[in-house]
Amino acid sequence: MKSDSARAIALGLSTITLASAVTFPVQAEASENSESLVLAPSDNEVSTEQSEEATVVQEAETLSESVNDTVLDTVNDIKVPEAVSAKDNIEEATEAVNNIEKAKEAMDDAVNQQETISDIADDAAAVAEENATAASSAADNAKADVVAKDTSKAEAVIIISETEKSVEQATNSFDEARASYDNALNSLEAAKDDYMIAVEAYNSNKNKATSDLAKANDDLAKAEAKMAQMQKELEAARQALVDAGAEALVAADDNKADAASYVETIVKYYYVPKQELSDGQHIADFTVGENNGDYISISYNVVDDAGNILRNVTADYGYTIDKATGEISIFDNKLYYEYTNADGQVVRLTKEEAANLENNRIEIGKYWTATGAYIPRYEEQTVYQGFIPFLNYSDAKAIAQGKEEIESLYAASPWYYNANADFVEGTKTPLLVSYALNIKYNVSYDQVETYYIGANKIDYATLVDQYAKFGRRVISSSYELRQGIVRYIQEYKISDDIAGAEFDSYKEAIAAVVKEAGEQHGASNIDIANSTQLAVKENTKYADVFEKHINEGAALFRSLGKDYTSYITNVRAQLLEYTRLLSEVSAARTGYADAKAKVANLQGSIEKLNNADDVATAVQLAELQAKLDKAKIKLDIAKDNLDSAKESLSEAKLLFNKRFNTAPAVPTTNSVQEEIIEAIPIEETEVEKPEELEELIEENERKPVNRQNSNNNSSTSENSLSDVQSEEGNVPSEDNIENTIITIPEEETPKAITVAGLLARGKWFIGLAGVSTAGIGVAVLEAKHRAAIKLLDKLNQ
C-alpha cells in the first residue's frame, strides 16, 4: 500500500470534503516533519514598502525635473550643446528607468499569476492525496473486514459499497487534480517565457539607462569644463580691467572726500596712461611723495612690455576743489627749493632733488653719539670634556654639544648672566662606540653681584625700582628676595667725554664705549643687547628749505569734464557686466556639477538593481518550478494510493464472492436501503496473486478485527475468527482459484437484528464512509450509525 508514503506529505490544517451521502469538514494536522503549504504567508501579500525600482524611478524623475532649472542650455547668450545633450540623455535614462519598473511589474505579474495557478494545482493535489489515502485505507480495511468472522453478508455489502464510493471520490479528485496540474504545467512554460521577456526588458532598459547616464555624465563634465574655461577667461578680462584701475577709479569717484587720494588715483589710472604714455608703455614703481594739502608729489617709471625702464618721472600735481560744484581740478605744479649750507651759502635744489626731502629741510651733515649707561662684559676660556656617539657624528654636533653644556653650567651659576660660549679649538679621541671630546671655548658673560639683605618686607617691584636708580639691574626672582637674596648686574654711566663726542659712525661710537669699559672696569666688551639705557644713534644736521608751489597753465583734468564722466560711466558698466557674466557662468557651472553628482548617485542606484540578474532569475524560476513540483509529488502519491485502493477494492470483491458465494447487490449512493440489483463483478486481471489472497485469509483467521481511532490518520483491521471459519474447505487451492467461486457460509442470522447486535459484531462499521475513522471525528461515526439503523430496518422487514 502507498498510504504510508502519502502520510509523508500531510496538509497543514487543510479542510477537505469526504465523498459520501453526508459531507463533513475534516481538519488534518500536519506532522512536525511535513511542510505546511497553507500556513505559509502568501507570496502575493501586499507590501507597504516601496520597491527598489520605484525608489530609483523617483530619483530619476527628480533628477529629470531638477535639470530643467539647474542645467542651463544657454549661458551669456552662448549655446551650450553639451548641456542640451545631457538633458536629453537624462530624459531618456528616466524613461528607461520607468521601463525597468514596468518590467519588474511584468515579472511580478508573471510570477504571481503562475503562483496562483500553482497554488490551485497544489491544493487540488492535496485534496486528491488526502482522498486517495482515505480510499486506500478504506479498501485495505474492506479486504480484512469482508473475511472477518463476525462480518455478515449485509455488512460486507455495505462495506464494499462505501469503499467504492470512496474510491470513486478519490478518482474524481485525482482527475480534477491532474487536470489542474496539467493546466499549471502548461501555464508554467508561458509564465517562464513572459518572465524571461520581462527580464530581458529589465536588463536592456537598465543597460540603456546606464549608458544614457554615462553619456549625460560626459556631457555635463564637458559643459562644466567649458564653463570653467569661460569663467577663467572672464576673470582674466575683468582682472585686466581692475589692473587698469577700473575699481580704483570707481571707488575714488564714489568718495571724493579725500582729495589727495582722489588726485593720486586719477593721475595713476587715467591722466598719465592717456596723456603721458605711448602704445606698449606702462607705469611701474608708482610712488606718492609729499602732500601738503595743495599739491601732491608723484614719481614713477615708464617701462615697455619687456619691463625695460624707458624713463623716470617725478612730477608735482596741484589740485583745487570747487566748493560750489565739488569738482576737482588737477594742474601741473612747479615747486622751488632753497636752503643755506654749512658754509652760509644759499643753495637752490632741483625738482628731482626736492622730491627726496623730508619736512622741508635738507641734510648738511651727519654724526653719531653714545649716551646713557652700559653693562660690562667679561671673558674667560673654558674647556669642555665629554663623549659623543659615533652614530651620525659631525664636528658641528660635537661643538654644539660642548657649547650647550658649558652655557648650561654658566647659566646655573648665580655669579654669571647671559653667558655665551664661542668655539676656539678642540680634539676628539675615538673609543669603542664614541669619541672623547676636549674642546676649548671663549665664554663671555655679564658679572652678577650677589647680596644677602636678610628678612625684610619690601616687595619685589619696589626693590627693582630702587636698585635701578643706582644703575643696578635686578635679575634675581621674587622667590630669592623672600629668602633675603638679591642678585643684579651693575650698569655704568658713560663718561661726559664720550657722551659729548661726535663720531663718524656707529662702530666708532661703540668702540669708544668698549674702550672706556676696559679701562675703567677691566671688561672685554659691553652687553649691547641688555644695556637698555645705552643710546647710540645717528644725528643729522639740517638746513631749512624754503619752497614755493605754483599751479601753472590750464587744468590737466576736471572731474566733471565730459570725457571723464563718459569714461567712468563706461567703466562702471563693464564692471557690472563682468559681475553678471561671472555670476551666470558660476551658476551654470554649479548646476552642471550638481547634476553630475546626482547622475553619479542615480548610476549607483541603478547598478544596485539586481532583480533580473542571472542569479535572481534562476532563483525565481526555480521557485516557480519547485512550487509545481510539490503538487506533482502529492499527485504521484495520490496516484499510487488510488491505484492501491482500486487494487484492494477488487481484492475485497473477490474475497466477498469467495466467502458468500454470490455477488452482493451494491446499494445506490443515495441510500443503503435500495435493493441489491447486481452482483459485484470481479475482473480476472485483478486476481493475479492467489498466494496473497490465501495469506490474507489465513491472517484474518488468526487475528481478531479491532478498529480504533489513531492520531496518525491510520487504522488497523484485525479479524477475530477464533475457532470458527478455519475449515480448509472455505479456502480455495492455488490450482483452481481462478475458476472457483469461493463459498463462505453465512453465519446464523438472529431473528431480530438489533443495533446493539450490529455494534457488538460490526467491525464492518468502520468502512461505511469509505475512509478510516482516524481524523474524521464524531460526525463520521454518527453518519455511519444512521446508515446502520436504516440497514437494520431493511433486514428486519
Side-chain angles (χ1 to χ4, degrees), residues 478-490:
S478 58
Y479 172 77
E480 291 176 296
L481 176 60
R482 289 195 296 272
Q483 305 301 317
I485 298 173
V486 176
R487 294 189 300 118
Y488 64 88
I489 299 171
Q490 182 66 53

Side-chain angles (χ1 to χ4, degrees), residues 151-164:
T151 302
S152 67
K153 184 175 182 179
E155 293 170 342
V157 168
I158 294 174
I159 291 172
I160 295 298
S161 174
E162 293 298 330
T163 303
E164 281 189 329

